[in-house]
Amino acid sequence: MRAWYGFALFGVVVTGCAGLEPGDDDAASAAPATATVAATTTATAQAVTLNDRLLSCASDPRVQAGLVSADVCAGADLFLRETFNGNGRSCATCHRVEDNFAIDPAFIATLPKSDPLFIAERGGALAELEKPAIMRQFGLILENVDGFAPDPTQHFVMRSVPHTLSLATSVDFIPAGSHDPVGRTGWSGDGAPNPDPLSPNPGTLRDFQTGAITQHYTRSLARVAGTDFRLATDDELDKIDAFMRGLGRSNELALTSVVMSDPRAEAGRAKFLSVGCNACHGNAGANATFGIVDGKAGQNNRNFNTGVESRRTPALAGLPVDGGFGQGVNGSAFGDGTFNTPPLVEAADTGPFFHTAVQVTDASAHNTDFVQTIEEAIAFYDSSGFNQSPSGKVAPIDLTADEIDNIGRFLRGVNATFNIAIAQKRLDAVATLIGKLGNTRSDIQNKLLALATKELLDASNDLLRVPAGTPALNKDTQTDLASVEVLLALTQLTDSIPTRTLAVTTARAALAQTSAKIGSNLNYTIGSGSVMF
């Protein structure tokens, strides 16, 4: 699946699906924060130069306060709002700030028909740009990852939209062979397209926008550069790359030092380490802990055939098979059948979980026609779908129903602390803005407060939505999170600098205590891109 022609998302490609792929079972909770921040991610056609953006960013309070560089600020504006003279879409059409830089069917259902995501539903030249019913039901996007010839409406695959968080931990790859890309971008790990075939660094994250514009931003299926869209300049690609590397965390956890306060979550951590999950998802990240690439053991993002494509939900029968990595023929598909490993720290609330809509049968629990929760995704690895795959035959996994739920509790707790860390980053930004600039541009402060609140809602749902019949997960922290959410809502209603300062300081301290209640040694370094919107 050589990704010279498109990606499984609008505007960026990230690591894919050798193990659990990012998932979201809490999109319904997004409404309060969505209403507050949606206007900031609406794509609008514009003729703004990069110099215009840099000049604007020079007066952005976050740049003036030293929270972000002008390059990251400009990259964020390009990512969130630039349409590249295309059909009205931007990266944020699918990578929604208010939905963890991802999108899923539940969130799609909240969008108005006028949203650029639904441009194919309007008919005309782009009527076959997507499969609207499939997109709405499963969150899958039409991709021509092996080229548009001979007919882009026949030669395609359907892929879900992954989040773009924490790319700094997983996107760079040490090539093992002459055909391996430098960057692990895309569900199949094929690397981003570079219009210059002689480029010394093909397939890097920096180049992702080239294929994204061609695939998703076009005004017609002819896809003529200069007519249907414009391509990003080298300088624009650099700025977008800087922003994306600053989203989410830039560090890995050390799971052997982590201790979860919930006994079953702690049992899930131990099982995660012992059953083999950690081999491909080292420290709940995206890098394998085994194998040697370029003389280095571990710390490399890998591809595996885990049988996901062979267990698509029955509703997708008849659609083309997704062959995964490479260009070789694999039955009726192009590729060798392998897909890329995504990080799991962010998995519980960043759906969908896999590169396609997956069915789970004959697992110990959580069998389903369409995986939509972290436990259902884990259950796939207890099923014949995984255990009869090439990877499963090498390293089979056998879990009980309780063990599936315990690993789910562990990953839910980890994700909740990650949510809290991003909320803290945004609160720190508000505190800095107040301290250096007072109430200048309080609208930016309020949006940061709203986005911090959204992260706390996600954390609450991570903990709350355990499977029916299982014990509550860190119940006391849910009350703590709700109290901070109320405090942040009230903070947005006052212009008093002392009151704002006290409220943010109080919230920050409360969140530190709340995170510690979930587990210890769950520490994150959050990038500056996380304060942009």
Side-chain angles (χ1 to χ4, degrees):
M1 281 289 170
R2 190 58 178 166
W4 275 87
Y5 300 95
F7 305 93
L9 49 145
F10 304 133
V12 65
V13 282
V14 305
T15 50
C17 75
L20 295 183
E21 296 171 44
D24 185 349
D25 56 344
D26 69 344
S29 70
T34 299
T36 305
V37 302
T40 69
T41 57
T42 299
T44 56
Q46 54 190 309
V48 181
T49 68
L50 181 57
N51 283 337
D52 291 335
R53 285 190 164 88
L54 290 171
L55 286 172
S56 178
C57 282
S59 62
D60 188 296
R62 289 161 293 188
V63 175
Q64 293 179 334
L67 294 170
V68 297
S69 68
D71 283 358
V72 169
C73 173
D77 196 49
L78 287 162
F79 183 96
L80 297 169
R81 283 168 278 277
E82 178 57 55
T83 63
F84 293 94
N85 296 340
N87 58 34
R89 287 172 165 178
S90 73
C91 302
T93 298
C94 264
H95 298 284
R96 304 280 174 147
V97 179
E98 63 271 33
D99 198 28
N100 300 300
F101 287 91
I103 200 168
D104 64 4
F107 190 88
I108 289 173
T110 70
L111 299 175
K113 291 183 178 180
S114 59
D115 194 278
L117 179 65
F118 305 126
I119 195 165
E121 296 180 4
R122 301 169 199 167
L126 295 176
E128 296 186 85
L129 182 66
E130 305 287 359
K131 299 289 184 185
I134 297 295
M135 181 176 68
R136 285 184 177 273
Q137 185 176 4
F138 299 112
L140 300 179
I141 307 301
L142 190 150
E143 298 291 336
N144 302 107
V145 292
D146 286 310
F148 302 110
D151 183 349
T153 67
Q154 299 297 318
H155 191 50
F156 66 90
V157 296
M158 301 297 296
R159 289 184 176 177
S160 61
V161 180
H163 68 79
T164 58
L165 297 167
S166 309
L167 292 175
T169 67
S170 63
V171 72
D172 291 327
F173 176 67
I174 304 170
S178 60
H179 298 293
D180 285 342
V182 173
R184 280 302 196 192
T185 56
W187 286 119
S188 50
D190 279 305
N194 188 319
D196 179 7
L198 300 179
S199 169
N201 296 303
T204 65
L205 177 63
R206 178 190 175 281
D207 300 314
F208 82 92
Q209 189 89 54
T210 301
I213 292 171
T214 306
Q215 177 74 57
H216 302 297
Y217 292 38
T218 186
R219 292 174 179 268
S220 80
L221 299 188
R223 293 180 165 90
V224 178
T227 298
D228 292 316
F229 49 80
R230 74 170 180 86
L231 294 175
T233 67
D234 283 345
D235 285 344
E236 286 176 326
L237 295 181
D238 287 340
K239 303 301 184 288
I240 295 170
D241 180 277
F243 165 64
M244 289 168 53
R245 289 179 187 274
L247 287 175
R249 61 190 170 86
S250 60
N251 70 305
E252 299 281 24
L253 296 173
L255 288 190
T256 56
S257 300
V258 169
V259 178
M260 308 301 291
S261 62
D262 177 80
R264 290 191 59 174
E266 175 62 10
R269 181 191 69 87
K271 180 59 65 173
F272 182 94
L273 291 171
S274 66
V275 79
C277 303
N278 199 62
C280 297
H281 297 278
N283 291 305
N287 298 314
T289 58
F290 65 93
I292 297 177
V293 176
D294 197 27
K296 297 181 180 180
Q299 299 181 353
N300 56 90
N301 200 225
R302 303 282 289 277
N303 265 38
F304 302 95
N305 185 339
T306 57
V308 170
E309 182 65 17
S310 68
R311 297 305 172 105
R312 296 188 303 183
T313 186
L316 301 181
L319 290 175
V321 176
D322 193 334
F325 181 82
Q327 294 179 313
V329 176
N330 174 27
S332 61
F334 292 94
D336 65 5
T338 70
F339 291 85
N340 193 234
T341 309
L344 297 188
V345 167
E346 302 82 1
D349 68 1
T350 52
F353 291 94
F354 298 98
H355 77 276
T356 188
V358 177
Q359 180 184 50
V360 179
T361 60
D362 64 43
S364 298
H366 302 293
N367 293 297
T368 178
D369 277 345
F370 177 28
V371 169
Q372 297 184 75
T373 70
I374 190 68
E375 288 79 16
E376 291 169 354
I378 296 165
F380 173 78
Y381 295 92
D382 178 56
S383 74
S384 60
F386 171 73
N387 285 309
Q388 292 177 6
S389 71
S391 293
K393 289 177 180 178
V394 173
I397 293 176
D398 183 17
L399 298 169
T400 66
D402 282 347
E403 288 169 341
I404 291 171
D405 288 345
N406 289 347
I407 295 175
R409 293 170 79 86
F410 162 61
L411 292 177
R412 285 178 178 277
V414 168
N415 202 151
T417 61
F418 173 71
N419 293 137
I420 290 172
I422 292 185
Q424 290 172 315
K425 180 73 174 182
R426 289 166 173 161
L427 292 181
D428 288 344
V430 172
T432 297
L433 291 173
I434 294 173
K436 292 189 174 184
L437 303 171
N439 275 334
T440 302
R441 294 297 304 275
S442 61
D443 59 323
I444 289 180
Q445 295 178 26
N446 285 342
K447 287 169 185 174
L448 285 168
L449 291 169
L451 287 171
T453 301
K454 174 59 176 62
E455 292 297 336
L456 301 185
L457 288 168
D458 284 350
S460 296
N461 284 323
D462 290 338
L463 303 174
L464 178 65
R465 295 182 176 179
V466 294
T470 60
L473 176 58
N474 296 117
K475 186 175 181 179
D476 56 336
T477 66
Q478 295 176 32
T479 301
D480 296 341
L481 290 168
S483 297
V484 176
E485 290 165 21
V486 172
L487 176 60
L488 297 184
L490 293 174
T491 305
Q492 295 177 60
L493 301 178
T494 178
D495 290 327
S496 167
I497 292 177
T499 301
R500 279 189 168 234
T501 301
L502 177 61
V504 171
T505 302
T506 301
R508 183 65 168 77
L511 290 179
Q513 295 177 354
T514 300
S515 184
K517 288 182 180 180
I518 298 172
S520 60
N521 297 318
L522 289 162
N523 304 311
Y524 306 96
T525 301
I526 304 299
S528 64
S530 301
V531 304
M532 301 305 299
F533 46 80

